[in-house]
Amino acid sequence: MSANGKPKGVDISIVKLVPRSERKVAKKYRQRIEASLRAVGLIEPLIVFPLDDGYEILDGALRYRILLDHGVETVPCLIHNVRDGFTGNRMVNQLSASQEMRMLRKSLEELDEKTIANALGMQGIGHRLNNGLLAKLHPAVVKAFNTNKINLQTAKELTNVKEDRQHEILKLMESCNDYSTTFARGLVLKTSANKRTKANGTKTPWSQSDEKKSQLLKKLQDAEQQQDFYSGLYRQYTTNLLKLVIYVRTLLNNPEVKAYLQTNHADLARVFEEILESTEG
């Protein structure tokens, strides 16, 4: 287990894995799981429990058998610290929308959509690729979504404003280090009418109740005040640092003062020299 109490993810040699139990499954079911593994890889890691010199598989015995038959040497696993009373459904590894999208696009490099859809038991995967959504976003926002910096809901919120405003909002989110949907929605809500996109009959942030809009704007105001505080603090720190450098340089440029410091306060003289070296370097 990791420090935060969540299962720890590790790659484990398949020879160290032992199924807790075996169960018979229909041939068709095994074939579907096998097709999914071939098409898109292992989406859900095996859940294991440390036992003797190896690991007991609490969830994923069928996937383990298939991987073993295909000669896979290492398997992504989540190490669970409770053996008895384990419930597999609570441990399912959920992919984010952007992670799933990247996985599907990677699969499309080798397989067609129909094959992937059949492997996943879907009628199609077009809706999972989010092509329509990405076409409405600024390139920088697309990159933020693809790298999992912003989530799917936040990306959808940003489509309510034009691309240049999307970029402005993303920069504000980065400066505040706040990528939450609530923060994005508040910034969208403050957008002037000339930077909004057409509603086309869909519900927009501006159509919400006055109370809800007020709550969002209050959260946004708090975040902006916090950002102003830290920006001011950084400016003051920079000013103080500049003053210190000027003072130290003045001291060390005086041969008598420098000689005195080196003779009587060698450690302090060395610190002053390191300050100048770091700023000039």
Side-chain angles (χ1 to χ4, degrees):
M1 295 285 284
S2 59
N4 60 9
K6 295 183 178 180
K8 179 181 178 182
V10 294
D11 289 333
I12 298 176
S13 173
I14 200 166
V15 298
K16 291 187 175 182
L17 301 175
V18 179
R20 182 177 191 177
S21 60
E22 297 284 359
R23 63 186 179 92
K24 291 185 178 181
V25 297
K27 184 177 181 180
K28 180 181 285 189
Y29 179 71
R30 179 188 167 100
Q31 288 175 337
R32 186 163 81 80
I33 299 299
E34 191 168 3
S36 174
L37 289 172
R38 284 201 307 269
V40 296
L42 185 66
I43 299 175
E44 297 178 11
L46 275 58
I47 310 300
V48 301
F49 177 81
L51 188 65
D52 299 328
D53 294 330
Y55 298 87
E56 184 179 67
I57 301 172
L58 303 179
D59 182 67
L62 178 57
R63 281 167 281 155
Y64 158 78
R65 288 296 179 193
I66 294 171
L67 293 172
L68 187 65
D69 291 344
H70 283 267
V72 173
E73 295 182 356
T74 58
V75 182
C77 299
L78 291 178
I79 299 178
H80 195 48
N81 68 340
V82 177
R83 184 186 184 198
D84 298 323
F86 168 80
T87 303
N89 290 337
R90 292 187 316 206
M91 302 295 296
V92 172
N93 183 41
Q94 299 292 338
L95 289 176
S96 70
S98 59
Q99 289 173 324
E100 181 186 64
M101 182 185 68
R102 287 198 300 273
M103 177 194 73
L104 292 174
R105 286 182 174 174
K106 184 68 176 176
S107 301
L108 285 171
E109 295 175 6
E110 300 180 4
L111 301 164
D112 59 75
E113 287 192 30
K114 185 177 180 180
T115 300
I116 298 173
N118 289 337
L120 296 175
M122 302 177 182
Q123 291 185 342
I125 62 170
H127 63 293
R128 299 292 185 96
L129 297 173
N130 294 302
N131 290 329
L133 170 65
L134 298 184
K136 300 176 184 178
L137 298 174
H138 186 281
V141 177
V142 173
K143 183 178 179 181
F145 176 66
N146 286 338
T147 55
N148 223 26
K149 185 176 284 187
I150 63 173
N151 61 30
L152 178 60
Q153 188 56 44
T154 299
K156 288 180 177 179
E157 287 290 336
L158 293 178
T159 62
N160 288 300
V161 298
K162 296 180 179 178
E163 288 193 15
D164 59 340
R165 176 57 177 161
Q166 293 174 15
H167 198 202
E168 291 175 3
I169 290 175
L170 180 62
K171 287 182 177 180
L172 286 169
M173 296 174 79
E174 290 172 342
S175 67
C176 296
N177 195 31
D178 187 345
Y179 298 96
S180 66
T181 302
T182 300
F183 187 50
R185 190 176 292 132
L187 292 168
V188 167
L189 194 60
K190 284 188 66 176
T191 301
S192 58
N194 65 323
K195 290 190 175 184
R196 301 174 187 174
T197 54
K198 293 183 179 180
N200 294 325
T202 59
K203 189 176 181 181
T204 69
W206 303 279
S207 62
Q208 299 178 84
S209 67
D210 290 339
E211 182 181 358
K212 194 165 186 179
K213 284 190 284 188
S214 297
Q215 290 174 350
L216 282 171
L217 292 175
K218 177 63 170 62
K219 290 180 180 179
L220 179 60
Q221 184 181 23
D222 292 343
E224 288 175 336
Q225 288 176 347
Q226 186 180 49
Q227 171 65 8
D228 289 341
F229 169 76
Y230 284 114
S231 295
L233 195 65
Y234 178 75
R235 285 194 296 271
Q236 185 61 50
Y237 166 77
T238 303
T239 301
N240 291 342
L241 182 61
L242 180 60
K243 290 179 179 178
L244 174 63
V245 171
I246 294 172
Y247 175 72
V248 169
R249 183 177 288 111
T250 301
L251 287 177
L252 296 186
N253 281 343
N254 185 313
E256 293 181 0
V257 172
K258 183 175 182 180
Y260 174 82
L261 288 173
Q262 290 176 335
T263 301
N264 299 284
H265 303 282
D267 291 343
L268 184 59
R270 187 159 45 250
V271 169
F272 283 171
E273 289 170 354
E274 288 175 355
I275 290 173
L276 292 184
E277 288 175 3
S278 63
T279 54
E280 293 172 355

